[in-house]
Amino acid sequence: MSSTTEAITGGRLMVELLEEAGVEIVFGYPGGAILPFYDELYHSKKIKHILVRHEQGAIHMAEGYARSTGKLGVCIATSGPGATNLITGLTDAKLDSIPILAITGQVSTDAIGTDAFQEADIFGITIPITKYNALIKKADDLSRHFEEAIKIAMGGRPGPVLLDFPKDVQLEKTTVRKATSLKIAPHHYERPKVKGDPQEFAEALNQAKRPLLYVGGGAINSFASAEIKALAEKANAPVTTTLMGLGAFPGTHPLSVGMLGMHGTAYANKAVLECDYILNLGARFDDRVAKYQDFAPNAVRAHVDIDAAEFNKRINVDYILHGDLKDAIREILPFVKGGDRTSWIDNIQSLKKNHPLDFDNSGDSIKPQDFLHRVYTKTKGEAIVSTDVGQHQMWAAQYYLFDKPNTWLTSGGLGTMGYGLPAAIGAKFGNPDKMVICVTGDGSFQMCIQELATIAQSNLGVKILLFNNNFLGMVRQWQELFYEERFSESQWTYNPNFVKLAEAYGIPAMRIEHKSEIDKGVDFFLKDNGSALIEVMIPAEEKVFPMIPAGKSQQDLIEFKDLGKLKK
Ligand SMILES: Cc1ncc(C[n+]2csc(CCOP(=O)(O)OP(=O)(O)O)c2C)c(N)n1
C-alpha cells in the first residue's frame, strides 16, 4: 500500500494509475463529462491516445490490441451516448473473455438520477455485460476500484470491466492511493491452485483408444500452447480447435484436424462422433459446437477450465479439473502415457483424405477460398488476421492456417459485424512489425467503416481484404438453403465504390473480378508494409461448407459434395 501526501485530482490520479499499471495506449473519444480526465491525459508522456471515429471502434480496437498482445485493452468514452456506444463491444468482450477496461465520463454526482444532459445509467446498463463495474463516487475510492477492476479483468477468466467516472470526481482532490502491484501484463496476478485429481484425469486419457483434444479460446488466454502441443504429442492424440481456439495448436501440425462445429472441417466433426474420449481444454461446449447432450456420443468426457461455472453447464462431463489451463496440463503431463494409437491416427488420416475442405473452383470467377489460400501462402501464414462476421469469417477460419496463438482475431460468441476493421487497427498498434490483415464482407465493413480515417490519421499499415458479393452473404446462404430462396432483405441494391472510398482516405485500393487478376491482386495487396484495400468480387451464390444446420448436430453435417442432395 502506498499513499501520496500531495493532493491530486481524480483525473490526474486515473492517469497516474494507468501509467503505473503499464498502459501505453488507450483508444477513445472525448466529450463534456470526461474533459477533466482528458485534460490530465494531455500531459501524459507515457500514454498514447488514439482518437477514433466512433466509440464502438474504440472498444473493438482495445479488443484487437488485447487479443493480439495478451495485455489489457483500454478504451475511453464520455457519458450518455459515448458510454452506450461501448455496449456492443463490452458484450463482445464478455462472451469472448477479452480483458478490457472501459472508462466512461458521467454527469456530476449531484446530477445523477435527474435525467441530466447526457446522463445514462451506464453502471446499471452494464451490470450483466461486465465482470466488474463501479460508479466512483469519491476520488478517495478511485485507486481501490482501479486495482480491483484490472485484477478482475486480467485474473481468472478474463473479461471486460467498467469504471464510471463522474465529472466532479475527476476534479475532486485526493491523497488516497491504495493500489498495489498494478500490472496489465498477463499472468501477473496469482492463479488459483489447480483443483481435482490430475492422475485420475490422465488415467482416463491413458485408457482411451481414440482420444480427441478439443481446444478453446481459454488456451489463448492461458498461454498454454506449448503445454497443449506437449500433451497431444505425448498422448498421440488428434487436436481440434474451436473458432476462438484457432492458433492455440498449430494448424499445420500432423495431429491437427482443424476447427470443429457448425462450419468446422468434416474430419474434425466426424472425429467427434468416433472418439471414445474427448478432453475439453478451455472451451465451453458452445451451442455452435455441441448442440445436444449426445455430443461426442461414444466418448468419456473430460473438461479443464478456469471458470467453474462452465462445468456441466451445457454438457455433462465425467472428469473435471478446475484451474488455469497451462498449470493444469503441466500437472496432468507426468501421468500421461504414450500408448499405441496407430489405428486411430490412420482412421483420422483417411477421414482427412475422404472428406477434405472442398469447393468448386471452375469458371472465371474468383473463389474466396482460393484467394484466401493464396494470401496464406504468400504471407507464409505469418500474418495476424482479423475478421468480421459472415461467410468471409468462416472461409478465413478454414483456409488461413494458424500456427501461433494471438494471431487470429474474430468475434466468436457475439458474432459482431463491425468488429474486424477496428480489431485489426488495435492489433497493428500492438504489433507494429507484423502484417495485420482484416478479412471483411461488404455488409460488415460498412458497420465500422469510419475507422478508415483512424488508419489514415495514424499512417497505419493495415491491409483490408474485402469480399464483395453485394449481399449479406451468410444470411443469403441460410435463405437459399432453408427458406426456399426467399432472399428477404439480404441484397444490397446499392453499394458505394469501395475503391474510391478507400482512396478518399488515402488508402491505396484495387478491385479484381476475374481469375486472371488474382496474382496481380495479391501482389498489389501485399507488396509493402503500407495500408491497402483489395476488393475481390465473388459470386453471390458461393456458400460455406461443411455446415451443420442450425439446431442439428455432428451427425447431420452437410459437405460440399452433399449440396446436390440437399437441394432436391
Ligand atoms: C451487428 C450484427 N447485425 C446482424 C448480424 C447478422 N448477420 C450475421 S452474418 C450477416 C451477413 C454478413 O454479411 P457480410 O459482412 O457482407 O459478409 P458475408 O457473409 O457476405 O461474407 C448478418 C447480417 C450480425 N452478426 N451482427
Side-chain angles (χ1 to χ4, degrees):
M1 191 202 287
S2 66
S3 101
T4 51
T5 42
E6 192 200 339
I8 56 173
T9 66
R12 176 78 232 139
L13 180 58
M14 180 70 98
V15 172
E16 289 188 9
L17 291 169
L18 288 165
E19 289 177 345
E20 198 178 313
V23 173
E24 291 168 349
I25 188 163
V26 295
F27 305 91
Y29 205 107
I34 191 80
L35 279 186
F37 169 68
Y38 265 88
D39 197 44
E40 292 295 348
L41 198 57
Y42 183 78
H43 301 292
S44 175
K45 300 211 166 34
K46 295 189 182 149
I47 301 173
K48 183 174 171 144
H49 180 278
I50 305 304
L51 179 58
V52 302
R53 290 318 204 249
H54 187 295
E55 292 86 353
Q56 183 177 359
I59 190 160
H60 292 325
M61 283 179 209
E63 286 188 278
Y65 175 85
R67 190 64 169 175
S68 64
T69 62
K71 296 184 196 165
L72 179 76
V74 181
C75 60
I76 303 162
T78 190
S79 66
T84 56
N85 276 346
L86 297 178
I87 285 172
T88 300
L90 288 168
T91 316
D92 192 89
K94 180 83 171 7
L95 276 175
D96 284 347
S97 308
I98 310 293
I100 296 294
L101 167 63
I103 300 169
T104 49
Q106 180 55 280
V107 300
S108 288
T109 46
D110 62 348
I112 289 178
T114 67
D115 292 341
F117 177 64
Q118 294 198 323
E119 182 188 2
D121 176 12
I122 201 67
F123 171 78
I125 292 170
T126 59
I127 287 172
I129 52 169
T130 51
K131 249 187 110 182
Y132 173 88
N133 69 357
L135 169 62
I136 303 162
K137 296 194 185 113
K138 305 194 291 273
D140 285 356
D141 295 341
L142 172 58
S143 58
R144 173 172 66 81
H145 281 307
F146 185 91
E147 180 176 17
E148 196 72 0
I150 66 168
K151 233 184 208 172
I152 290 173
M154 302 293 291
R157 176 181 184 167
V161 297
L162 181 138
L163 293 176
D164 199 20
F165 201 13
K167 192 168 186 178
D168 57 331
V169 182
Q170 295 168 45
L171 292 164
E172 190 187 3
K173 290 212 167 173
T174 180
T175 54
V176 181
R177 186 188 185 121
K178 283 187 181 153
T180 55
S181 132
L182 295 176
K183 271 251 162 65
I184 59 155
H187 271 177
H188 169 69
Y189 298 104
E190 209 184 359
R191 309 205 286 276
K193 248 181 86 56
V194 175
K195 284 192 222 121
D197 184 345
Q199 185 167 6
E200 187 194 51
F201 211 81
E203 277 313 317
L205 168 58
N206 292 339
Q207 278 165 25
K209 293 196 169 55
R210 302 184 303 281
L212 181 66
L213 308 188
Y214 148 42
V215 175
I220 312 265
N221 286 333
S222 157
F223 298 86
S225 292
E227 286 73 14
I228 291 170
K229 188 157 170 274
L231 177 65
E233 288 174 351
K234 191 165 182 193
N236 210 7
V239 180
T240 180
T241 56
T242 65
L243 181 69
M244 292 307 293
L246 288 173
F249 183 77
T252 56
H253 194 288
L255 286 169
S256 170
V257 289
M259 181 171 79
L260 82 169
M262 182 175 267
H263 290 296
T265 63
Y267 37 93
N269 284 309
K270 287 180 188 299
V272 169
L273 292 174
E274 292 183 23
C275 66
D276 65 354
Y277 169 93
I278 190 157
L279 173 51
N280 174 337
L281 299 169
R284 58 186 174 91
F285 292 111
D286 159 70
D287 60 270
R288 286 299 199 249
V289 164
K291 182 69 188 168
Y292 299 111
Q293 213 39 255
D294 68 350
F295 174 70
N298 303 307
V300 167
R301 300 182 194 130
H303 192 181
V304 184
D305 209 285
I306 189 130
D307 184 357
E310 289 300 336
F311 297 129
N312 296 315
K313 182 176 96 179
R314 294 203 59 258
I315 302 290
N316 297 333
V317 295
D318 305 287
Y319 295 91
I320 283 170
L321 214 48
H322 178 207
D324 181 84
L325 195 54
K326 190 182 187 77
D327 299 338
I329 299 177
R330 283 185 180 171
E331 293 198 16
I332 301 168
L333 264 172
F335 302 109
V336 172
K337 297 201 183 98
D340 177 16
R341 306 228 154 89
T342 319
S343 75
W344 175 228
I345 300 296
D346 288 349
N347 186 6
I348 294 283
Q349 293 313 335
S350 65
L351 286 176
K352 282 187 177 178
K353 196 160 150 265
N354 298 327
H355 301 275
L357 282 171
D358 200 9
F359 63 99
D360 177 6
N361 204 16
S362 62
D364 178 44
S365 58
I366 302 174
K367 292 302 174 79
Q369 303 92 327
D370 181 26
F371 195 84
L372 278 160
H373 185 70
R374 308 278 190 116
V375 171
Y376 167 71
T377 313
K378 185 94 176 175
T379 56
K380 304 192 184 76
E382 282 169 6
I384 294 177
V385 176
S386 80
T387 72
D388 266 298
V389 174
Q391 293 178 306
H392 62 275
Q393 176 188 30
M394 295 301 142
W395 288 318
Q398 293 174 334
Y399 289 89
Y400 199 100
L401 301 182
F402 296 91
D403 278 345
K404 293 191 194 125
N406 307 93
T407 56
W408 164 248
L409 319 172
T410 202
S411 170
L414 196 62
T416 308
M417 291 170 70
Y419 166 92
L421 181 64
I425 294 172
K428 187 70 183 177
F429 277 115
N431 304 267
D433 301 330
K434 296 213 177 121
M435 177 168 288
V436 179
I437 302 175
C438 165
V439 180
T440 187
D442 50 317
S444 298
F445 187 41
Q446 294 183 76
M447 283 218 177
C448 270
I449 199 163
Q450 74 286 345
E451 301 308 333
L452 287 175
T454 307
I455 296 181
Q457 183 161 310
S458 300
N459 204 11
L460 268 192
V462 169
K463 309 280 186 190
I464 301 157
L465 166 48
L466 167 64
F467 286 120
N468 187 352
N469 47 17
N470 286 311
F471 261 96
L472 295 168
M474 189 58 100
V475 173
R476 188 196 180 284
Q477 171 163 344
W478 283 49
Q479 290 172 331
E480 180 180 329
L481 298 178
F482 311 117
Y483 292 85
E484 297 168 337
E485 305 192 2
R486 289 185 295 278
F487 298 120
S488 178
E489 301 304 323
S490 53
Q491 183 174 18
W492 302 119
T493 51
Y494 173 81
N495 252 333
N497 181 327
F498 289 109
V499 169
K500 279 195 182 158
L501 194 105
E503 285 171 352
Y505 285 103
I507 297 171
M510 181 181 189
R511 175 185 303 125
I512 58 171
E513 195 159 1
H514 305 287
K515 260 208 181 93
S516 55
E517 299 169 297
I518 289 181
D519 286 340
K520 192 174 63 172
V522 172
D523 286 348
F524 163 82
F525 185 50
L526 300 172
K527 72 171 180 283
D528 55 27
N529 295 326
S531 59
L533 177 142
I534 184 140
E535 179 185 13
V536 182
M537 304 305 296
I538 58 167
E541 56 280 2
E542 192 61 30
K543 284 176 276 301
V544 183
F545 286 109
M547 177 177 195
I548 300 175
K552 300 278 175 69
S553 50
Q554 263 76 18
Q555 287 88 339
D556 309 295
L557 177 114
I558 306 163
E559 290 180 65
F560 173 71
K561 60 185 180 191
D562 302 328
L563 182 60
K565 276 187 258 166
L566 188 77
K567 298 202 100 186
K568 268 181 202 149

